[in-house]
Amino acid sequence: MRNKPKVVWIQALTCNGNTQSLLSSNASRFEQFLNQFELVYHPSLTHHTTLNDVLQSNASYDFLLIEGALTSNTQFLTLSDQSSTAIVEKLIKRSHYVIAVGSCASYGGVHAKFEHNDDVVGVQSVVGKKSACKSGHDTINLTGCPVHPEWILQTLYTLKAKGNIALDDEQRPIELYSHLAHHGCTRNEYFEWKVESKSFGLKEGCLFYEQGCRGPMTHSSCNKILWNDTSSKTRVGMPCIGCTETDFPRENMLETKKNIGIPAEVPLGISKRAYLSLTGIAKTFKIERLIGKLIDENR
Amino acid sequence: MSAKETKKISIIEKSLKLFSKKGFYNTTIPDIAKAMKMSVGNMYNYFPSKEELAKCAIKYSTNVLAQDLREVNNMDISSKEKIYEFTRKYFKRVKKTPEIIEYFLRVYLSNREVFNQGCEGFLCVGEFVTEVMILLDEGAAKKEFRDQDFFAAFGMFMGSLGGFAFLSGEKVLEKDLLDYSDLIAENIYRALKYEE
């Protein structure tokens, strides 16, 4: 690959959240990215090239990054007098790699729930799992709402260095999505002993049972690669809402569905019978250290 | 199973009968040793104390019930039929080995101080409680049971069965215990069933 691979970023049906996320990446990493890649086109970030320039050119691009869901229905979205699907179909043939950035681009996301347009889909549905891009590499899904900026950069750097990246069954990079959001969660001890958080925003307690946290069943490295190098949703008291999974956005995202007080879903990889046995035993113990405030200034 | 394990189980089974008949404090290790035709010293090779024996006995007896309920849970029948099926099994168990139920009702529930170290909460009865959870969860997930507080449902289910076993133990029932099985199962089902 050339020293400065060319990157084209297309936006379709999107709230711009993944762009916001990219702009919130570690400053030195973003600078490094701009130095080592040529950002040919991004609707919000570049000014010397328009989408028409990109479409009318015969140039090849190394990375086609797509943010947002696609639709072939021009009544709902038109870019340069074309549908987003038509644009992607044209550009894919001139691109080496196709990367769906965010959950909307990967699976249609919240837009796919729009019942008046049943033609809202993710990139993979348009270009295929085995992408027709120049490298022949599978379409890469960087799921998340939004996707973590470092995941975008790591994927680009890996492809730049190695030419391919290992993907899981959902076409997500294994290196980034083999962990669960539960891994690295600072509330794990509360989870073990079934001490629940009383409300959002607290540092104490687990958010699984009462607040709908999906950490134990969501493939994501949010708690391993921290946001802004500092934090994550669960660290500040916001439940994981499973935004990297294919069923996102689910209904009642801040609730744990229960049947007669028993969670309908249990953490990945454990049978419900085994989980309930462990839970019953864990609840037996009252660990004083986990019941009070972590920092009690009045003590 | 090793010879020692087999012997431990026969000691537990004998103890269940003695404990449930005479109570925890009125049953001594020498009583159990005598019933086992063993020396008192040898008894301590199997259980270090009467309290430890009592804890093993509650695990053993509830695991027997857990096994019964697990078999029912694994059947391909409706949740309503599972209640009927387990109620029958439970009452048959009361008739066949009453000491298993009596021990729970007359020793475990009445002598909590014996069990508050090492048998707290669900620690020694966990396997059975888990099976009740599976039964209730599956019934509610299939909308055969309505959604309600777990302990309210658990109390309804086990309270009915345990209470009736108690009446049987007191010999106050007019008919054979099994004659009441479907009536009790119907009552439990009505208390749990889903309503629009």
Side-chain angles (χ1 to χ4, degrees):
Chain A
M1 195 172 285
R2 292 179 302 278
N3 281 341
K4 288 192 91 174
K6 291 182 176 175
V7 176
V8 166
W9 181 301
I10 302 290
Q11 283 187 324
L13 289 164
T14 177
C15 68
N16 208 40
N18 296 289
T19 293
Q20 296 289 340
S21 177
L22 180 68
L23 289 172
S24 302
S25 57
N26 175 309
S28 63
R29 288 283 278 163
F30 192 58
E31 186 179 351
Q32 193 180 35
F33 162 69
L34 291 176
N35 287 335
Q36 295 190 10
F37 292 80
E38 183 185 346
L39 185 58
V40 175
Y41 174 73
H42 186 297
S44 308
L45 305 178
T46 55
H47 58 87
H48 50 278
T49 309
T50 66
L51 180 57
N52 272 342
D53 294 337
V54 170
L55 293 172
Q56 286 162 15
S57 157
N58 290 321
S60 291
Y61 302 112
D62 295 288
F63 297 103
L64 175 63
L65 273 62
I66 301 155
E67 176 183 14
L70 302 178
T71 177
S72 60
N73 191 330
T74 51
Q75 282 187 306
F76 291 94
L77 181 69
T78 304
L79 301 165
S80 295
D81 297 326
Q82 300 175 59
S83 74
S84 52
T85 298
I87 286 175
V88 166
E89 283 172 340
K90 282 177 190 160
L91 288 180
I92 184 176
K93 295 170 192 157
R94 289 162 46 201
S95 306
H96 274 83
Y97 300 99
V98 179
I99 303 175
V101 183
S103 291
C104 295
S106 299
Y107 309 118
V110 68
H111 310 286
K113 304 237 164 190
F114 184 51
E115 59 189 25
H116 299 293
N117 183 2
D118 59 6
D119 177 43
V120 176
V121 294
V123 171
Q124 193 177 296
S125 298
V126 171
V127 305
K129 181 180 170 186
K130 283 280 175 199
S131 154
C133 63
K134 293 178 87 164
S135 67
H137 198 287
D138 290 349
T139 304
I140 298 160
N141 287 331
L142 296 182
T143 58
C145 184
V147 62
H148 194 301
E150 184 60 22
W151 303 349
I152 305 173
L153 298 180
Q154 278 196 23
T155 302
L156 290 173
Y157 277 111
T158 302
L159 288 169
K160 181 174 184 277
K162 291 178 60 185
N164 65 72
I165 194 164
L167 303 177
D168 68 12
D169 293 342
E170 305 294 343
Q171 309 285 112
R172 303 171 297 195
I174 289 173
E175 183 73 20
L176 297 167
Y177 291 88
S178 55
H179 293 104
L180 300 178
H182 191 55
H183 296 156
C185 178
T186 49
R187 296 166 190 270
N188 278 355
E189 199 180 10
Y190 292 108
F191 177 82
E192 285 167 26
W193 300 108
K194 306 300 162 202
V195 178
E196 279 296 305
S197 190
K198 304 277 187 300
S199 68
F200 291 168
L202 298 176
K203 286 192 181 299
E204 301 83 6
C206 176
L207 305 160
F208 173 62
Y209 197 79
E210 295 297 334
Q211 319 289 348
C213 184
R214 304 283 294 176
M217 49 274 273
T218 297
H219 294 89
S220 160
S221 44
C222 280
N223 270 313
K224 301 284 275 188
I225 303 172
L226 298 176
W227 292 75
N228 303 111
D229 297 333
T230 304
S231 197
S232 69
K233 279 196 183 75
T234 59
R235 290 189 182 201
V236 295
M238 163 72 189
C240 167
I241 51 174
C243 72
T244 54
E245 295 298 338
T246 54
D247 63 351
F248 178 83
R250 295 170 301 110
E251 290 183 2
N252 303 321
M253 279 193 289
L254 300 178
E255 281 178 29
T256 294
K257 169 86 176 84
K258 291 192 274 287
N259 300 312
I260 309 192
I262 298 157
E265 287 181 74
V266 297
L268 290 179
I270 184 168
S271 73
K272 183 168 267 191
R273 184 173 270 115
Y275 177 75
L276 294 178
S277 284
L278 286 171
T279 301
I281 291 169
K283 277 185 178 172
T284 296
F285 300 97
K286 293 277 176 282
I287 301 171
E288 287 299 324
R289 183 169 51 79
L290 299 179
I291 292 170
K293 297 285 284 181
L294 277 171
I295 301 168
D296 187 351
E297 292 172 348
N298 297 320
R299 193 159 53 187
Chain B
M1 195 182 289
S2 70
K4 187 168 185 179
E5 284 300 310
T6 309
K7 192 73 169 177
K8 279 179 91 168
I9 286 174
S10 58
I11 293 171
I12 289 170
E13 287 172 346
K14 188 69 77 181
S15 314
L16 280 170
K17 288 182 180 167
L18 292 173
F19 280 141
S20 60
K21 193 172 165 190
K22 297 169 65 174
F24 176 76
Y25 290 106
N26 290 332
T27 305
T28 63
I29 288 286
D31 290 339
I32 299 166
K34 188 179 171 190
M36 288 296 299
K37 297 186 173 63
M38 288 168 67
S39 71
V40 172
N42 195 19
M43 272 288 293
Y44 287 106
N45 287 328
Y46 294 93
F47 295 98
S49 66
K50 196 169 77 169
E51 284 73 16
E52 280 308 306
L53 175 54
K55 288 172 197 169
C56 289
I58 191 63
K59 279 186 199 164
Y60 174 86
S61 58
T62 50
N63 286 357
V64 168
L65 293 177
Q67 180 60 34
D68 285 350
L69 186 49
R70 193 174 300 125
E71 284 170 13
V72 173
N73 277 337
N74 288 335
M75 288 178 177
D76 189 17
I77 54 178
S78 71
S79 297
K80 179 181 181 180
E81 288 169 310
K82 285 180 184 179
I83 289 176
Y84 275 69
E85 197 63 41
F86 181 66
T87 304
R88 264 177 235 128
K89 269 184 184 270
Y90 185 89
F91 285 168
K92 280 180 189 167
R93 182 71 66 188
V94 172
K95 289 189 74 168
K96 188 180 166 196
T97 48
E99 64 274 14
I100 283 186
I101 315 294
E102 293 280 318
Y103 181 75
F104 180 84
L105 295 172
R106 294 178 195 277
V107 178
Y108 181 70
L109 294 184
S110 311
N111 301 279
R112 298 300 304 136
E113 67 284 0
V114 178
F115 299 95
N116 62 11
Q117 286 279 322
C119 261
E120 303 96 325
F122 289 163
L123 212 50
C124 292
V125 297
E127 279 199 43
F128 180 68
V129 176
T130 297
E131 292 306 324
V132 179
M133 284 179 165
I134 297 278
L135 175 75
L136 295 175
D137 173 58
E138 287 181 357
K142 289 189 290 186
K143 289 216 164 179
E144 284 192 64
F145 299 155
R146 73 175 188 281
D147 200 21
Q148 61 171 298
D149 180 85
F150 169 71
F151 286 105
F154 181 83
M156 179 63 224
F157 185 62
M158 287 318 298
S160 294
L161 294 176
F164 220 76
F166 180 81
L167 293 178
S168 172
E170 292 298 303
K171 303 192 187 329
V172 296
L173 297 179
E174 292 170 353
K175 293 184 278 187
D176 183 82
L177 182 61
L178 283 172
D179 289 345
Y180 294 96
S181 176
D182 286 0
L183 293 170
I184 298 298
E186 180 67 19
N187 281 346
I188 294 171
Y189 172 67
R190 287 189 187 196
L192 298 176
K193 76 173 181 179
Y194 183 80
E195 288 165 343
E196 291 289 346

